[in-house]
């Protein structure tokens, strides 16, 4: 830290300094006695190191003890370090000034001693107070009343007043030394600006910034004040590092000080750092919600904020600056997160996936970046990437991304509630949609545990959680519980398909309850409104079309179901399954079986679709009279339902065929194997997803700020619907001897889901056009003129149409057209 030639330590044999000298207190007169008196603190220290320490401290026993204790606490090995390197905490510019003005002085040894010590306490202050009157040519700062040099009490009072004595992280009554020492030295030796207010503010900010970087400081009582000092001093890099490491968890743990500190960030600084821009913008957003609600409780406010990161620039707008090296990896990830969220709001989540891929390519380009991302930013990036994949329908990818976010969060970050709650909610949703019911339940339970412990949530996470609860209740055919969860979900806005899944699964609930109502029109309206933003040929569109076909079949509108399928020529397994269910309802069992086999032959098929295809296959074989084969396939379907922990695939076949399959399998052991998967399902819990929130009182209104914790717990407990089982009557819990029988009975009691229209003929588009013309035109010649065909060709087409409809004349063809829905009834 300095050149030993700059000074010569006093000889051990020199006359000891008096008690009021630079180093007051008892001294040893030789290195041997020095080592003997301090042996208990360092029994194994070599003689050479004892001699170095003796010379360094001028034989002062208290100083030597402090150095030895500080070395132990910091893990320094004095026997391997040169005496001149005992401390490395002082700023270089301060040491330069010290060496220039006092190359051989007590204060230099004081600086070495203090800078190495970890804590400053009464003993340390006593040493400093005793040294100050002996600082040679330097003037001593006086207190405001010019009453003379600082004594110990004055020094302590001024340090506390200035906010410099931040608490130590492990012992009450002690204070961390590095920021205190730095400020003391700067004030003592910087004569040019000693009494400047701005100088003092900068010193306080730098000291607080150092202190904030200690991990244990986060939970100490001085953190809030230090955070405010950093913001007042404009220590923007410290704020950037803090946000990158802690993120929105700061708002949970240090609400007021975080909002105050980051709201002070100038817009110009936000343009230099996306991390700082996000912190600034989100703090202003939270402050606005806080003012609107008039609430002081952090969770009450934060549970109402979606954090859209409006102040963060889009990734594509900053590509030139990124390539010039103006941004860090953390900045890129924050911009990618904000961009993905904006695309989601626009209903263009597929573009959000493209942005995520672009961000990964930039980050992996070593030409632009030499640094690695913070673990928190990395976890957040994977979280948002995974959520975006859910909206696009790439569920397998989303599960992997969300799992990675959870692992990083649990192992390497401290923002567990903020990141883990949405990660578990969306993971549960993705697994439920894939048919991984057991995995979905695991994430739901982890979400519940976090909610109970932290009382923290977010609007988007609660929506995903509630939708998952609804799906899992339908999987168990607990339709009452599914209806309650559905009622808590807000309607998705048209023109925005982020929550199009809400309409999709409400449609499924309507089918299962035999109460479709307007669900078909609502789902079609949502699809039409989002048609321009939905991928032309993707999973999301295909699953919506499958649900729309099922809605029409549930109402017996076979021709409308056919209309949906005529709009696509996709070979997606979802579209093929929809065709299979269509042919099953009109009695074309051979075609339905063939289509089900085609679905099962495809790779990378989700478990729900496999179970549904197996059930359609079994029903088709039953319809063909191949009973043995049907029974065998139905047992396979039960096994798939056990794996998915879902009864929904069994429900989505016409009731007459479903009942026969169930009755024929009454002796199958698979029923008793299937039933227990519903005993450990997620608890039916009102608190997180729409009943009284933990911060609300038991009457449903916002809770008092002073409400006791035990009252909150009772309110949450009172909101429970059950004990975790899904709707089983007493005495018939799954796992008992009657469990399989009860499960069969639940399915037998289920109403019609896909109505049979036996004998219904599916017409081609040209045949439907010809039938419509037959209804409006009076003669064959007029029809021929409309179609620009010769009359003979029209007559041949009419004959084929009659044969397809199973009629012999025009009148019966029109009657059959009205019956099948191909012609408008109001005509």
């Amino acid at each position: 830290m300095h050149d030993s030639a700059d000074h010569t330590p006093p000889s051990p044999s020199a006359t000891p300094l008096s008690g009021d000298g630079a180093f007051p207190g008892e001294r040893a007169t030789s290195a041997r006695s020095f080592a003997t008196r301090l042996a208990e603190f360092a029994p194994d220290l070599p003689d050479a190191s004892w001699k170095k320490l003796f010379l360094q401290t001028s034989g002062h026993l208290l100083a030597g003890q402090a150095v030895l204790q500080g070395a132990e606490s910091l893990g320094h090995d004095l026997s391997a370090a040169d005496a001149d390197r005992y401390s490395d905490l002082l700023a270089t510019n301060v040491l330069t000034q010290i060496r220039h003005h006092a190359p051989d002085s007590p204060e230099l040894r004081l600086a070495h001693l203090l800078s190495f010590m970890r804590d400053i306490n009464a003993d340390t202050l006593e040493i400093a107070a005793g040294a100050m009157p002996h600082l040679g040519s330097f003037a001593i700062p006086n207190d405001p009343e010019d009453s003379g040099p600082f004594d110990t009490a004055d020094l302590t009072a001024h340090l506390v007043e200035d906010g410099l004595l931040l608490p130590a992280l492990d012992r009450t009554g002690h204070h961390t030394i590095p920021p205190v020492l730095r400020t003391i030295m700067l004030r003592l030796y910087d004569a040019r600006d000693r009494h400047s207010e701005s100088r003092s503010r900068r010193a306080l900010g730098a000291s607080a910034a150092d202190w904030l970087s200690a991990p244990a400081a986060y939970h100490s009582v001085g953190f809030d004040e230090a955070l405010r000092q950093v913001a007042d001093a404009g220590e923007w890099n410290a704020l950037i590092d803090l946000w990158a490491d802690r993120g929105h968890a700061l708002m949970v743990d240090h609400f007021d000080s975080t909002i105050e500190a980051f709201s002070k960030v100038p817009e110009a600084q936000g343009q230099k750092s996306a991390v700082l821009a996000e912190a600034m913008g989100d703090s202003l957003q939270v402050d606005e919600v806080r003012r609107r609600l008039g609430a002081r409780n952090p969770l009450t406010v934060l549970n109402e904020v979606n954090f859209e990161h409006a102040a963060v620039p889009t990734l594509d707008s900053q590509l030139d600056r990124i390539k010039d090296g103006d941004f860090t990896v953390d900045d890129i990830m924050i911009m990618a997160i904000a961009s993905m969220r904006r695309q989601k709001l626009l209903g263009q989540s597929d573009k959000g996936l493209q942005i995520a891929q672009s961000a990964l390519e930039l980050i992996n380009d070593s030409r632009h970046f030499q640094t690695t991302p913070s673990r928190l930013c990395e976890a957040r990036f994977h979280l948002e990437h995974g959520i975006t994949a859910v909206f696009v329908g790439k569920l397998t990818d989303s599960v992997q991304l969300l799992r990675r976010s959870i692992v990083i969060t649990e192992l390497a970050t401290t923002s567990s509630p903020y990141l883990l709650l949405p990660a578990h909610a969306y993971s549960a949703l993705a697994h439920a949609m894939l048919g991984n019911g057991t995995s979905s339940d695991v994430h739901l339970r982890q979400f519940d545990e976090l909610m109970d412990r932290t009382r923290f949530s977010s609007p988007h996470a609660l929506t995903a959680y509630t939708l998952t609860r609804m799906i899992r209740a339908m999987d168990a055919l607990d339709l009452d519980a599914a209806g309650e969860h559905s009622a808590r979900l807000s309607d998705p806005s048209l023109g925005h398909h982020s929550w199009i899944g809400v309409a999709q699964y409400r449609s499924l609930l309507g089918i299962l309850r035999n109460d479709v109502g307007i669900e078909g029109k609502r789902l079609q309206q949502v699809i039409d409104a989002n048609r321009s933003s939905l991928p032309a040929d993707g999973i999301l569109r295909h699953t919506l079309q499958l649900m729309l076909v099922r809605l029409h079949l549930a109402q017996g509108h076979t021709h409308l179901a056919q209309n949906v399928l005529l709009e696509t020529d996709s070979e997606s397994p979802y579209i093929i399954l929809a065709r299979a269910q269509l042919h099953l309802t009109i009695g074309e069992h051979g075609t339905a079986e063939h289509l089900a086999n085609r679905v099962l032959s495809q790779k990378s098929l989700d478990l729900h679709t496999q179970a549904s295809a197996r059930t359609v296959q079994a029903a088709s074989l039953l319809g063909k009279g191949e009973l043995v084969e049907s029974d065998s396939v139905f047992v396979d379907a039960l096994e798939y339902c056990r794996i998915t922990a879902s009864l929904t695939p069994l429900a989505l076949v016409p009731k007459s065929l479903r009942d026969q399959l169930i009755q024929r399998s009454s002796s199958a052991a698979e029923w008793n194997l299937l039933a227990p998967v519903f005993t450990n399902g997620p608890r039916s819990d009102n608190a997180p997803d729409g009943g009284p929130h933990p911060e609300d009182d038991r009457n449903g209104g916002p809770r008092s700020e002073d409400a006791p914790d035990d009252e909150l717990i009772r309110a949450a407990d009172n909101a429970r619907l059950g004990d975790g089982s899904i709707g089983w009557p007493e005495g018939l819990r799954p796992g008992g001897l009657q469990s399989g029988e009860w499960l069969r009975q639940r399915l037998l009691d289920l109403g019609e889901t896909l109505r049979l229209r036996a004998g219904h003929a599916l017409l081609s588009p040209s045949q439907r056009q010809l039938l419509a013309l037959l209804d409006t035109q009076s003669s064959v010649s007029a029809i021929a003129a409309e179609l620009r065909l010769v009359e003979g060709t029209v007559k041949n087409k009419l004959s084929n149409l009659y044969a397809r409809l199973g009629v012999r004349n025009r009148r019966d063809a029109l009657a059959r057209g009205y019956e099948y829905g191909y012609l408008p009834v109001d005509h």
Side-chain angles (χ1 to χ4, degrees):
M1 197 165 75
H2 69 279
D3 188 350
S4 60
D6 289 344
H7 71 281
T8 303
S11 170
S13 61
T15 302
L17 296 177
S18 63
D20 59 353
F23 296 109
E26 186 178 3
R27 292 181 57 187
T29 58
S30 68
R32 182 176 300 277
S33 61
F34 183 80
T36 301
R37 301 286 294 277
L38 297 177
E40 63 178 297
F41 298 101
D44 301 323
L45 194 65
D47 291 341
S49 296
W50 278 118
K51 185 174 182 180
K52 291 179 182 178
L53 185 59
F54 174 74
L55 295 175
Q56 181 75 11
T57 61
S58 297
H60 191 283
L61 294 174
L62 180 60
Q65 176 183 337
V67 171
L68 291 170
Q69 289 176 328
E72 180 182 6
S73 66
L74 293 177
H76 284 243
D77 182 3
L78 289 181
S79 64
D82 184 82
D84 298 337
R85 305 289 298 180
Y86 280 173
S87 172
D88 199 20
L89 294 178
L90 279 180
T92 303
N93 62 329
V94 176
L95 291 175
T96 301
Q97 293 180 56
I98 291 175
R99 295 191 197 102
H100 175 70
H101 294 291
D104 182 11
S105 63
E107 65 266 22
L108 183 56
R109 292 189 293 279
L110 172 67
H112 287 179
L113 168 64
L114 292 182
S115 65
F116 191 77
M117 293 174 60
R118 185 172 68 113
D119 296 321
I120 184 167
N121 51 31
D123 291 336
T124 315
L125 293 174
E126 185 68 33
I127 295 173
M132 283 182 176
H134 301 274
L135 292 180
S137 60
F138 296 100
I140 308 301
N142 294 329
D143 62 14
E145 288 76 27
D146 293 328
S147 58
F150 290 139
D151 58 20
T152 303
D154 290 332
L155 179 60
T156 305
H158 279 271
L159 292 175
V160 171
E161 180 181 350
D162 288 343
L164 291 173
L165 288 184
L166 299 171
L169 305 179
D170 57 354
R171 286 179 289 171
T172 304
H174 288 67
H175 305 277
T176 55
I177 181 65
V180 178
L181 176 63
R182 178 173 296 173
T183 303
I184 290 174
M185 292 293 104
L186 286 172
R187 287 186 173 184
L188 290 178
Y189 295 107
D190 191 350
R192 297 166 301 172
D193 201 14
R194 183 181 301 137
H195 301 294
S196 166
E197 181 180 351
S198 62
R199 173 71 197 85
S200 176
R201 184 182 295 113
R202 289 197 302 274
L204 290 174
S207 301
D210 282 346
W211 186 79
L212 287 179
S213 64
Y218 187 71
H219 297 290
S220 67
V221 295
F223 186 91
D224 295 283
E225 181 59 33
L227 182 56
R228 291 185 175 95
Q229 289 179 9
V230 168
D232 288 338
E235 292 284 339
W236 310 126
N237 288 334
L239 291 182
I240 291 172
D241 292 341
L242 187 61
W243 186 263
D245 289 336
R246 300 285 178 172
H248 293 85
L250 281 166
M251 296 180 174
V252 180
D253 300 323
H254 302 280
F255 184 66
D256 291 322
S257 60
T258 298
I259 304 307
E260 180 181 340
F262 286 100
S263 296
K264 294 179 179 179
V265 177
E267 184 176 349
Q269 291 295 328
Q271 294 174 356
K272 299 177 182 178
S273 167
V275 174
L276 202 55
E278 179 192 62
M280 173 188 66
D282 288 0
S283 295
L284 292 174
Q285 184 182 355
V286 171
D287 190 46
E288 180 182 351
V289 174
R290 177 174 62 174
R291 294 175 185 277
R292 174 169 54 83
L293 296 179
R296 301 189 309 273
N297 183 280
L299 296 182
T300 302
V301 177
L302 294 175
N303 289 344
E304 298 296 325
V305 183
N306 281 320
F307 295 115
E308 301 301 343
H309 309 325
V312 182
T314 60
L315 187 64
D316 55 357
S317 70
Q318 303 296 318
L319 289 179
D320 290 339
R321 292 182 61 190
I322 291 172
K323 293 177 181 178
D324 290 340
D326 291 349
F327 291 109
T328 66
V329 173
D330 285 342
D331 288 329
I332 290 180
M333 287 190 165
I334 295 299
M335 287 189 284
I337 291 170
S339 298
M340 282 188 277
R341 291 195 171 196
R342 287 172 193 165
Q343 294 301 330
K344 204 158 48 199
L345 290 173
L346 296 173
Q348 298 175 348
S349 293
D350 54 326
K351 292 185 178 179
L353 286 185
Q354 297 173 11
I355 290 171
Q357 186 59 41
S358 298
L360 288 173
E361 292 173 358
L362 288 169
I363 292 168
N364 292 330
D365 188 349
S366 59
R367 294 174 299 174
H368 302 305
F369 304 103
Q370 302 298 326
T371 59
T372 58
S374 70
R375 303 304 284 169
L376 173 64
C377 288
E378 186 178 10
R380 290 182 56 200
F381 174 79
H382 291 306
L383 171 63
E384 197 63 38
H385 194 180
I387 292 173
T388 304
V390 171
F391 289 136
V392 173
K394 295 187 176 182
L395 302 177
T396 302
D397 292 344
S398 71
V399 166
Q400 295 174 351
L401 290 164
L402 292 168
R403 178 58 184 160
R404 187 171 182 181
S405 175
I406 290 172
V407 170
I408 295 174
T409 301
E410 290 179 336
L411 295 180
T413 76
T414 55
S415 309
S416 296
Y418 177 73
L419 291 186
L420 289 181
L421 278 165
H424 284 306
Y426 284 99
S427 293
L429 179 59
H431 279 297
M433 295 171 72
L434 280 170
N436 303 329
T438 303
S439 297
S440 178
D441 293 344
V442 170
H443 287 289
L444 288 174
R445 285 193 293 271
Q446 290 174 323
F447 184 98
D448 289 335
E449 291 170 3
L450 276 171
M451 272 289 297
D452 286 344
R453 187 169 74 249
T454 66
R455 306 301 192 200
F456 178 69
S457 64
S458 70
H460 286 330
L462 282 179
T463 302
Y465 171 89
T466 306
L467 180 58
T468 308
R469 288 283 191 200
M470 176 182 170
I471 295 172
R472 294 298 294 129
M474 288 191 292
D475 283 339
L477 297 185
D478 189 351
L479 304 185
D480 291 338
E484 292 175 2
H485 292 304
S486 175
R488 300 184 188 114
L489 294 167
S490 59
D491 291 327
S493 58
L494 296 178
H496 176 274
H497 73 252
S498 290
W499 284 115
I500 204 166
V502 174
Q504 181 178 350
Y505 284 99
R506 277 183 175 162
S507 299
L508 178 59
L509 180 60
I511 292 172
L512 296 176
R513 298 172 92 172
N514 196 20
D515 183 22
V516 174
I518 64 171
E519 296 299 337
K521 293 181 179 179
R522 179 180 295 175
L523 186 59
Q524 183 65 65
Q525 188 179 21
V526 170
I527 294 174
D528 292 340
N530 293 280
R531 192 176 298 275
S532 61
S533 59
L534 285 171
D537 190 46
I539 295 174
L540 182 58
R541 180 183 290 272
H542 295 154
T543 54
L544 289 172
Q545 289 171 326
L546 169 61
M547 190 59 66
L548 193 56
V549 167
R550 287 171 171 170
L551 277 171
H552 292 320
L553 295 179
Q555 297 173 294
H557 297 160
T558 309
H559 64 292
L560 295 180
Q562 186 186 11
N563 287 349
V564 175
L565 294 173
L566 288 173
E567 294 178 357
T568 177
D569 57 357
S570 171
E571 292 300 304
S572 161
Y574 307 102
I575 299 301
I576 299 174
L577 178 61
R579 294 193 182 106
Q581 290 178 320
L582 169 61
H583 284 278
L584 185 64
T585 60
I586 65 176
E588 294 184 355
H589 301 113
T591 303
E593 181 201 1
H594 171 71
L595 291 169
N597 288 335
R598 285 181 57 193
V599 173
L600 292 169
S601 67
Q602 298 201 24
K603 298 179 180 179
S604 302
L605 199 62
D606 69 78
L607 294 172
H608 253 173
T609 307
Q610 291 186 55
S612 295
R614 284 287 182 188
T615 307
V616 171
Q617 185 185 34
S620 301
L621 289 168
L622 179 65
K624 291 170 62 179
E626 299 178 12
L627 303 184
V628 176
E629 293 82 356
S630 172
D631 293 345
S632 176
V633 172
F634 189 65
V635 169
D636 290 342
L638 290 177
E639 176 63 15
Y640 273 106
C641 289
R642 185 186 69 81
I643 295 172
T644 62
S646 174
L647 298 174
T648 305
L650 301 181
L652 294 176
V653 293
K655 181 172 175 57
S656 61
L657 294 172
R658 182 202 319 141
D659 289 352
Q660 292 182 62
L661 290 170
I662 295 169
Q663 290 166 354
R664 289 184 59 82
S665 65
S666 60
S667 61
E670 280 71 21
W671 286 106
N672 288 332
L673 293 175
L674 172 60
V677 302
F678 299 104
T679 62
N680 297 319
R683 71 187 187 195
S684 297
D685 198 354
N686 277 358
D689 55 4
H693 281 286
E695 63 271 16
D696 291 349
D697 65 19
R698 64 185 62 200
N699 295 320
R703 75 173 180 91
S704 167
E705 295 286 346
D706 301 322
D709 289 342
D710 57 346
E711 183 176 341
L712 296 179
I713 295 172
R714 286 197 300 272
D717 289 340
N718 290 338
R720 306 271 189 255
L721 290 177
D723 61 358
S725 303
I726 308 182
W728 298 103
E730 193 64 36
L732 288 175
R733 297 286 182 194
L737 294 177
Q738 296 176 292
S739 61
E741 178 58 34
W742 168 250
L743 197 60
R744 285 193 296 273
Q745 191 59 49
R746 168 165 282 190
L747 281 161
L748 289 171
D749 291 342
L750 187 67
E752 185 66 88
T753 54
L754 304 182
R755 298 186 182 279
L756 285 174
R757 295 295 300 272
H760 184 107
L762 298 180
L763 302 182
S764 67
S766 61
Q767 288 175 327
R768 297 168 70 176
Q769 181 187 21
L770 182 60
L771 182 62
L773 289 174
L774 196 65
D775 188 39
T776 59
Q777 300 296 335
S778 58
S779 65
V780 172
S781 59
I783 295 174
E786 179 72 22
L787 296 177
R788 298 181 180 180
L789 298 172
V790 299
E791 291 186 19
T793 302
V794 171
K795 290 179 180 180
N796 289 335
K797 289 181 175 294
L798 285 173
S799 297
N800 293 333
L801 175 62
Y802 295 162
R804 181 63 177 163
L805 292 173
V807 299
R808 295 184 177 181
N809 54 53
R810 176 188 185 125
R811 182 191 62 190
D812 291 343
L814 292 176
R816 191 60 56 84
Y818 287 118
E819 177 188 351
Y820 288 170
Y822 288 125
L823 297 175
V825 177
D826 58 350
H827 180 67

